[in-house]
Amino acid sequence: MSRKTMPGSKREGSNGCSRLGTVTAVQANFYQVRLDDPLDWGSEDLESTNSLLCTRRALLKKLGQSVMVGDRVQVEDPDWTGGRGAISAVLTRQTMLARPPVANATQIFLVFSLAQPEIDPLQLTRFLLTAQQTRMQIGVGLSKADLVPEAVQRDWCDRLQQWGYRAIALSLVNEQGLGEVQEQLQGQLTVLSGPSGVGKSSLINHLIPHLNLRTGLVSQRWHQGRHTTRHTELFNLPQGGLLADTPGFNQPDLPIHPGDLAQLFPEIQRQLNHQSCHFNDCQHLQEPGCVLDKGWERYDHYVQLLEEITAQYDPSLHSGREESQTKTKVRRHGKQEREPRLEQKKYRRESRRSQHQSLADLYAEELQQDRP
């Protein structure tokens, strides 16, 4: 059946034709949408057949409705020949992540490498805490397991178990752990995250062989991976489910209140489930009546991160400096903005009145010197 005579299809500009789909990629003001209903055009390339490049209706822009990867959307007036369409509505999101920007995700799968580069426990903790804030299910994959002894693999899996997470040792060389990963990802919309250079793109290439994503090498100087993924994109898993590949980043932020940090450590929550501290706002440092055992592995990380976010959160530590280096500028319609304050006498132009006064003083001095 030709595209022109396909039942239910209408050319661009017609009314009444709409389909549901999922946003798989966002670039600038264009959105790649995979439609739910298969379109049988006799093509073996089902991926391109079911995908439309869409824009966003002007009404959505006026309403301030954003469109994210993972969004369930309604596409109007698809142009089957040109592969184009327009997003007219965004369905209610079940979940939403700001960084990476992904909607309707159900779990997060972190990938860290056991070697080249080796795991930094504090960096891993940052990623885990960032994932904990989402309240989603969390899985951990330890890649490049073939480069370390089996004892090292067991040690890291046991450590993460004590932290409160299930870890899977992975090797793409001998396909170790791939079956467990496929089972965990099946039927889920999973956000794949982790530092650069740990093998996320290589893992996706094994899970979805036809993609052939570009991979990168680890810097020999900095012992960190080079970025290969530039934007978030969704891929269909052969066993069912969607996988969101996200750009790697080495130092995720922790924009949380200091009082909420303890809730993101499973080790602390396990202890507090048996006995509560004397004070409700206990930070589990040296407060009297604190029941927290300080002998667990990540306690020093907890203290370090608590000090860091406390310094970031306390406005009194920055307000004086900010006030001295910035000033309020009133723009049109009374809108106020902060802008840098220039150092006085260094950048400020001398007024004409001062210039004239200086010239008058010089002239007077010259007259005084010329007098006998």
Side-chain angles (χ1 to χ4, degrees), residues 181-197:
V181 173
Q182 290 173 338
E183 182 180 351
Q184 182 161 342
L185 304 183
Q186 185 174 2
Q188 306 284 335
L189 198 166
T190 305
V191 174
L192 190 68
S193 186
S196 304

Side-chain angles (χ1 to χ4, degrees), residues 279-297:
F279 299 103
N280 293 331
D281 59 349
C282 181
Q283 292 190 325
H284 314 296
L285 297 175
Q286 304 297 329
E287 298 92 335
C290 178
V291 300
L292 190 68
D293 179 14
K294 311 299 192 297
W296 46 285
E297 181 184 357

Side-chain angles (χ1 to χ4, degrees), residues 218-224:
V218 176
S219 169
Q220 297 301 317
R221 179 178 182 182
W222 305 110
H223 304 289
Q224 293 180 351

